[in-house]
Amino acid sequence: MNTPTDSPDVYDVVVIGAGIVGSAIARELSGYQLSVALLEARDDVGDGTSKANTAILHTGFDAKPGTLESTMVSRGYQLLSDYASRTGIPVEHTGAILVAWDDEQLDALPGLKEKAEANGYQHCEIVDSAAVYAAVPELGPGALGGLTVPDESIICTWTVNLALATDAVNRGTTLLTGHRVERIETDADGTTLHTAAGPVRTRWVVNAAGLGADVLDGLFGFSRFTVTPRRGELIVYDKLARPLVDKIVLPVPTSRGKGVLVSPTIYGNVMLGPTSEDLTDRTATGTSETGFDFLLEKGRALMPRLLEEEVTATYAGLRAAIDHGDYLIEADPAQHYLLVGGIRSTGLTAGIAIAEYARDQLVSAGLELTPAERLPDPPRMPNLGEAFERPYQQAEKIAADPAYGRIVCFCERVTEGELRDACHSVIPPAALEGLRRRTRVMNGRCQAFFCGAEVKSVFERESQESNR
């Protein structure tokens, strides 16, 4: 997306990184009388870490008490729950259960319950083996007990990111995709960000660059942390597997790590994963044979019947792990610069709360804020959740516009009308991958084998019309 002709010569604030956290910060700051730009190195929003996580809306029950992360996740859970209800982001309140498979894990349950209570979450209960199997009958043999977390939920991470970015743009944020920051220059009046698409001038910079946050931090003269890309591989099973599990089945964290979960997804599938592998390559989002072998071994013990079901897809995401025990959100008033780094997968839940916190840090560092006189209503997002009514099921919608009755992707029941709407939306997809995240198209068991050509044709036609 190119710079609009009416963009200012100098922005008040530039937020770097259009993932969930960066989009939330841009949205928050656009609620004030500021000129805000949201820079993204890639061609679309939400195309980095934010697109590939376990998509769980966390209560924060297991965060380390007293940390910034704990505070942000707890606050973010309430904020995102409310925002989802106002924007149509699909959420299913499935609840979760941590399952103990050995004595070490069983002995850890009381401490986890105490940790949850220290974090302000009072609803966990320790249950015995019989209660575990009553809740999840298809679990493999050997479960000794469990801890219930009734308010854990599943959510559509793609829609969260797109809603926040769309809201920011509607509030006046300028979205600049394809603007990878290559070097910076600072002077008494502000900062010039030299990007792949040309220079961008700003008075304040917010670094929410995820996997690249440490590199960008280095351009401002710091060496306070290092990002290690941590690959998480997952296996997604067909919708026919969904009756096997109706809640999130979590591992009990031990000295050996957090382990592998089994969870329903908002799209009607079942997910197994993730792995956890530290890498050096920040682009290594490919899956691996060793990763799948590990997941299948774990899945065989967790839920043997799941492995009898068809696999719909496999994917891997990179998380921005850092050598720091908490979120790293620090302002440098002298350079008018704010770092928002080390935001792990909990950033999905915590994003809106992080945006509030970032705003307050900027104010403390000297940014003056005046609330905007009027703000548009939050956007109403298309529903991608399988548990809720979608266009192909709505007779009145189809009668008013037959395009909603013409199914293009039969695996996921995505209609021509939905593809058209996505291509003409506030932030249209830059490529077919972006169209998939906006509609679920090509996301089913055939993985675009049957619908790919027609989807591409509709995308190219509608994109051309949108650009006229």
Side-chain angles (χ1 to χ4, degrees):
M1 185 174 293
N2 296 322
T3 305
T5 56
D6 59 349
S7 294
D9 294 331
V10 182
Y11 289 98
D12 291 318
V13 184
V14 164
V15 180
I16 302 173
I20 286 173
V21 172
S23 297
I25 294 171
R27 169 188 172 271
E28 176 64 32
L29 295 178
S30 293
Y32 299 87
Q33 294 180 27
L34 298 171
S35 57
V36 179
L38 179 60
L39 263 63
E40 170 56 45
R42 300 172 186 258
D43 292 331
D44 200 357
V45 302
D47 196 32
T49 300
S50 293
K51 74 178 179 183
N53 60 38
T54 49
I56 294 174
L57 179 58
H58 285 294
T59 57
F61 78 97
D62 61 345
K64 184 178 179 179
T67 60
L68 179 60
E69 180 177 19
S70 170
T71 302
M72 294 295 97
V73 174
S74 179
R75 170 73 173 154
Y77 180 90
Q78 302 300 327
L79 291 173
L80 182 53
S81 296
D82 176 67
Y83 190 69
S85 69
R86 290 187 292 128
T87 58
I89 296 168
V91 175
E92 284 188 57
H93 300 290
T94 60
I97 185 166
L98 283 81
V99 179
W101 296 94
D102 58 36
D103 289 336
E104 181 188 0
Q105 295 176 11
L106 190 65
D107 292 342
L109 296 182
L112 287 169
K113 185 174 186 292
E114 291 174 4
K115 179 186 282 189
E117 290 168 352
N119 283 321
Y121 186 73
Q122 308 294 328
H123 302 144
C124 289
E125 291 186 8
I126 296 173
V127 297
D128 61 14
S129 176
V132 169
Y133 284 104
V136 191
E138 297 297 339
L139 278 179
L144 303 180
L147 181 75
T148 64
V149 193
D151 298 301
E152 294 281 288
S153 304
I154 57 176
I155 191 169
C156 178
T157 183
W158 300 334
T159 310
V160 172
N161 204 148
L162 187 61
L164 291 168
T166 300
D167 209 351
V169 170
N170 287 346
R171 290 179 169 199
T173 289
T174 300
L175 176 62
L176 301 173
T177 55
H179 279 64
R180 182 178 298 278
V181 177
E182 297 170 341
R183 63 186 179 90
I184 68 167
E185 289 182 273
T186 60
D187 56 43
D189 297 319
T191 299
T192 301
L193 302 166
H194 294 276
T195 80
V200 179
R201 184 87 174 141
T202 182
R203 296 182 178 88
W204 291 80
V205 176
V206 176
N207 174 4
L211 286 167
D214 59 338
V215 176
L216 187 61
D217 202 45
L219 296 180
F220 283 90
F222 294 98
S223 57
R224 47 188 157 180
F225 72 108
T226 299
V227 169
T228 299
R230 182 166 293 164
R231 179 165 63 182
E233 299 178 58
L234 298 112
I235 299 174
V236 180
Y237 286 89
D238 189 77
K239 291 175 175 55
L240 293 175
R242 181 63 185 266
L244 297 177
V245 55
D246 64 356
K247 59 178 47 61
I248 305 160
V249 180
L250 295 170
V252 176
T254 69
S255 58
R256 295 186 298 274
K258 283 197 169 182
V260 172
L261 61 83
V262 177
S263 174
T265 76
I266 203 74
Y267 317 114
N269 302 86
V270 174
M271 178 174 61
L272 173 68
T275 59
S276 181
E277 178 186 8
D278 287 348
L279 305 174
T280 56
D281 184 354
R282 302 188 186 207
T283 64
T285 55
T287 54
S288 68
E289 184 177 351
T290 55
F292 290 156
D293 287 344
F294 172 80
L295 289 178
L296 291 173
E297 178 185 356
K298 292 293 185 182
R300 203 167 283 115
L302 284 169
M303 192 170 286
R305 277 198 58 194
L306 182 60
L307 271 65
E308 299 173 8
E309 300 294 333
E310 295 289 335
V311 172
T312 290
T314 60
Y315 68 94
L318 295 179
R319 304 182 303 270
I322 69 169
D323 48 353
H324 189 74
D326 199 357
Y327 290 171
L328 193 54
I329 305 177
E330 296 180 359
D332 176 11
Q335 295 189 86
H336 286 186
Y337 167 64
L338 177 69
L339 166 67
V340 183
I343 311 300
R344 292 170 277 277
S345 58
T346 52
L348 165 60
T349 300
I352 302 178
I354 291 171
E356 288 184 338
Y357 187 81
R359 175 203 64 202
D360 294 343
Q361 295 302 301
L362 288 168
V363 170
S364 296
L367 177 64
E368 296 182 2
L369 296 181
T370 301
E373 293 181 0
R374 294 186 61 186
L375 289 174
D377 291 334
R380 191 69 188 175
M381 305 304 293
N383 166 51
L384 302 190
E386 189 70 9
F388 310 96
E389 193 175 52
R390 294 176 57 219
Y392 79 93
Q393 299 168 311
Q394 300 175 35
E396 291 184 5
K397 195 176 187 76
I398 295 168
D401 186 345
Y404 293 116
R406 290 195 289 272
I407 294 177
V408 176
C409 171
F410 283 88
C411 294
E412 296 297 298
R413 302 293 193 268
V414 181
T415 67
E416 183 180 338
E418 292 167 276
L419 302 183
R420 177 202 61 208
D421 292 349
C423 291
H424 293 266
S425 63
V426 172
I427 306 176
L432 289 175
E433 174 66 15
L435 186 63
R436 181 176 72 87
R437 293 197 301 273
R438 287 162 172 80
T439 64
R440 278 176 46 178
V441 74
M442 306 183 298
N443 206 40
R445 64 182 66 172
C446 88
Q447 291 292 287
F449 183 84
F450 290 104
C451 68
E454 186 174 0
V455 171
K456 182 180 179 182
S457 176
V458 172
F459 172 70
E460 290 176 346
R461 182 187 73 228
E462 297 298 335
S463 295
Q464 287 176 358
E465 290 187 8
S466 179
N467 291 327
R468 286 177 184 168

